[in-house]
Amino acid sequence: MSVVALIKDTTAKAIKQLYGLELLPSEILVNETKPEFEGDYTIVLFSFVKQLKKSPDSIGTELGNYISTNYPNLCSSFSIIKGFLNLSITPTYWINFLQQNVANTAFGTQPSNGEKVMVEYSSPNTNKPLHLGHLRNNFLGWSIAEILKANGYDVIKTCIVNDRGIHICKSMIAWQMFANGATPQSTNTKGDHFVGDYYVQFNNEYKKQVEALIATGVSKEDAEKQAPILKATQQMLLDWEAGKPDVINLWNNMNNWVYEGFNATYTTIGSDFDKVYYESNTYLLGKSIVEKGLEKNVFFKKEDGSVWIDLTPDGLDEKVVMRKDGTSVYITQDIGLAEQKQNEFNANQSIYVVGDEQNYHFKVLKLICQKLQLPSADGIYHLSYGMVELPTGKMKSREGTVVDADDLVDEMIAISQHKTEELGKVKDFTEDELKSLYNTIGLGALKFFLLRVDPKKKMIFNPEESIDFHGFTGPFIQYTHARIKSILRKFSNDFITTSLSASIQHSLLLLEKELIIQLEQFPLIIKEAAEFHDPSKIAIYIFELAKIFNSFYSEHSITNAENEEKKLLRLQLAQLTAHVLHKGMALLGIQVPDRM
RNA sequence: GGCCCCGUAGUUCAAUGGAUAGAAUAGAAGUUUCCUAAACUUUAGAUACAAGUUCGAUUCUUGUCGGGGCUACCA
């Protein structure tokens, strides 16, 4: 149990003993004591005042006395300042904690809880290369999956590829018109970029044709509908749905080019999936659901044959679930896919990592599933994250203001190479080791940058300023880890299992204690990160830990400690710190090097 | 029009209704005969505005101003 949980439990017991009042531990507010006051953890007394009808000071005195006399191993002394009860935790408690966990490779993680969670993320569109927004999505999805695993969940990572529809046909038409049989191989272009370029060409040509039509006197609205290239695209979609062989062939070819490109990017950034769904296989799903919904009167049919659901009683709109031509729409496909996933995996929860522009969509999705009483309904959770914006506003592919994922990754790796070479600390590395190190640092900086902020909030990326390698960054933590490792390398691992003598508690220094206190919080942070679906809690936590360690490192020597006992204590502190940094970064999908 | 989200140092981000609003970076000043200076130490700088709720408000309520999203028989 964490100290905070222990303090809450103890306080609840004390209040029951002293006043006969039953409180849940969760109703008790415990914070770290502000550094300017004496003590380690603080109980906020104000919330008890009303129920106990006593002054904060007298409650504090009675509580403090009770806890310090009945739990002398936990609390050595206390003070009350302005309604806050500051507890000093005994050094023995901290030393015991360190001894119990220094050799525990599972420190921070929970055993299996038997629950299954699906995490859907990435979900790319096959006619656009990945951009910065996709990176945030991928890193978030991956990290959430890892965090859930660390909390004992069985996690299945999935991806739905948006591989069909009118937009895909646009790239295909443009390729037919302009490519002269070119391929990614013949042009030496990455497949996803190759196809993406034709999508851009389509839009350029379309614009030209519309302008030409307007010049002949056609209204803008009509011109946008009549442009020959658009007509051809619409025809192609019909041909695709009819299964016309040459269209299907082209579609297959172009998609395979894209997948080759995506896979290269996924490999570089370390993303993968346990199960990939393709919309071309799932777009017909959901029809039986529409019928079921009609039977149950959840849906109703309009005169033209289209099927709707009325969500006005829930404060939303009427929503179409099947077109008049009998085809299913986006939301219906999603209901179908949710059911398919449920049948296939029977997970307790299904998390969708999707941008906050789709908040409304997922609200509707969950609501409809609930009204249909589908088993998947209650497990649907939309992990809504904010857009990555530029200082000038939203990224727009049409205006060429998109930050390309591959470009950015390459740039980050190049910068890390440049900085590493400048510092010249790893001149003995082989080519392969260097390459891997540049990747680790460059991607570490990028991932940390995107994961260190609250996922719910939109964030701003300024392409003019490169992502930092100093301060609240991935490389800062990687560097701290490498520094620890270089010390630990000099010692045999015996120190991990050696017991500290009891007397060490009398000489625990402030920075040593701060380090232990921070280390002790790791399991709690992992739990909170899962509960709030928020990897930034881990990023902030390991940064704090690294900072404390660095202060400690510059203040006190490990190798040349005052005596052998101190050296042992500090080695163990360094060992556990390295483990937590390593594990915490792994939860963000970031590796830590032993040297850099 | 309706619904939803957001306004915190120059900049990028923190702060389950709790103590004097924390960091990082940029700025100023320092630290290397000693475990990696991608580090450490010191310093200056912010809650858009106005009311309300209360012991206490960046946080909750209302209004004003500013920014964004959604409101497709596209996905």
Side-chain angles (χ1 to χ4, degrees), chain A residues 58-77:
Chain A
S58 53
I59 297 171
T61 311
E62 287 161 6
L63 262 182
N65 277 325
Y66 184 93
I67 294 172
S68 58
T69 49
N70 289 292
Y71 300 87
N73 291 328
L74 175 65
C75 171
S76 55
S77 65

Side-chain angles (χ1 to χ4, degrees), chain A residues 8-25 27-28 45-54 59 63:
Chain A
K8 288 185 181 181
D9 264 25
T10 308
T11 308
K13 275 181 204 155
I15 287 180
K16 197 185 168 201
Q17 277 289 317
L18 290 169
Y19 312 110
L21 179 67
E22 296 254 15
L23 283 179
L24 289 172
E27 292 175 280
I28 295 159
L45 299 169
F46 294 103
S47 47
F48 311 138
V49 170
K50 263 183 214 156
Q51 297 180 70
L52 298 179
K53 299 198 171 70
K54 286 188 150 201
I59 297 171
L63 262 182

Side-chain angles (χ1 to χ4, degrees), chain A residues 394-427:
Chain A
K394 218 180 161 185
M395 292 192 280
K396 287 178 185 141
S397 37
R398 281 187 206 149
E399 292 169 25
T401 55
V402 172
V403 178
D404 180 76
D406 293 318
D407 289 350
L408 185 58
V409 168
D410 288 348
E411 190 193 329
M412 294 306 295
I413 293 171
I415 295 173
S416 78
Q417 172 171 3
H418 177 75
K419 298 209 183 223
T420 305
E421 283 168 354
E422 225 171 42
L423 291 167
K425 292 177 183 176
V426 287
K427 288 183 173 153

Side-chain angles (χ1 to χ4, degrees), chain A residues 127 166-179 194-210 224-236 254 398:
Chain A
N127 57 4
I166 190 88
H167 48 293
I168 310 299
C169 294
K170 290 178 180 176
S171 301
M172 289 159 67
I173 286 285
W175 185 84
Q176 282 182 334
M177 288 174 72
F178 305 113
F194 178 84
V195 173
D197 288 345
Y198 287 100
Y199 185 66
V200 172
Q201 280 202 39
F202 170 92
N203 283 315
N204 292 341
E205 179 62 24
Y206 174 64
K207 213 188 267 175
K208 251 190 250 167
Q209 293 189 0
V210 170
E224 282 173 354
K225 283 180 192 159
Q226 288 168 15
I229 193 168
L230 182 68
K231 291 267 184 197
T233 310
Q234 286 162 343
Q235 182 56 47
M236 184 176 262
M254 290 188 77
R398 281 187 206 149

Side-chain angles (χ1 to χ4, degrees), chain A residues 172 240 243-256:
Chain A
M172 289 159 67
W240 183 89
K244 220 175 143 192
D246 58 327
V247 173
I248 297 287
N249 264 340
L250 176 60
W251 176 75
N252 269 325
N253 278 338
M254 290 188 77
N255 271 345
N256 284 333

Side-chain angles (χ1 to χ4, degrees), chain A residues 145-282:
Chain A
E146 292 301 310
I147 289 167
L148 290 170
K149 284 182 202 170
N151 278 279
Y153 292 91
D154 181 11
V155 178
I156 301 134
K157 292 181 284 186
T158 71
C159 175
I160 169 85
V161 181
N162 182 357
D163 65 344
R164 65 160 283 281
I166 190 88
H167 48 293
I168 310 299
C169 294
K170 290 178 180 176
S171 301
M172 289 159 67
I173 286 285
W175 185 84
Q176 282 182 334
M177 288 174 72
F178 305 113
N180 285 320
T183 65
Q185 289 76 24
S186 75
T187 53
N188 197 22
T189 312
K190 199 161 160 286
D192 50 337
H193 290 265
F194 178 84
V195 173
D197 288 345
Y198 287 100
Y199 185 66
V200 172
Q201 280 202 39
F202 170 92
N203 283 315
N204 292 341
E205 179 62 24
Y206 174 64
K207 213 188 267 175
K208 251 190 250 167
Q209 293 189 0
V210 170
E211 275 164 20
L213 280 169
I214 291 173
T216 64
V218 182
S219 77
K220 191 182 173 216
E221 207 175 307
D222 288 342
E224 282 173 354
K225 283 180 192 159
Q226 288 168 15
I229 193 168
L230 182 68
K231 291 267 184 197
T233 310
Q234 286 162 343
Q235 182 56 47
M236 184 176 262
L237 182 61
L238 292 176
D239 291 344
W240 183 89
E241 290 189 357
K244 220 175 143 192
D246 58 327
V247 173
I248 297 287
N249 264 340
L250 176 60
W251 176 75
N252 269 325
N253 278 338
M254 290 188 77
N255 271 345
N256 284 333
W257 292 336
V258 172
Y259 297 147
E260 236 169 78
F262 281 174
N263 285 339
T265 304
Y266 284 143
T267 303
T268 310
I269 65 174
S271 226
D272 65 3
F273 309 98
D274 302 310
K275 169 86 190 184
V276 177
Y277 292 97
Y278 296 91
E279 200 193 301
S280 51
N281 294 327
T282 64

Side-chain angles (χ1 to χ4, degrees), chain A residues 436-483:
Chain A
S436 146
L437 181 64
Y438 302 151
N439 269 284
T440 300
I441 298 174
L443 279 166
L446 182 56
K447 290 185 183 184
F448 199 90
F449 176 80
L450 289 170
L451 289 175
R452 67 179 192 179
V453 305
D454 184 340
K456 288 191 291 295
K457 297 192 177 168
K458 71 174 179 199
M459 60 184 294
I460 308 239
F461 172 77
N462 188 350
E464 303 296 315
E465 303 165 7
S466 55
I467 293 171
D468 226 311
F469 283 62
H470 301 270
F472 186 18
T473 67
F476 173 90
I477 291 157
Q478 291 172 323
Y479 173 72
T480 307
H481 179 266
R483 245 182 4 176

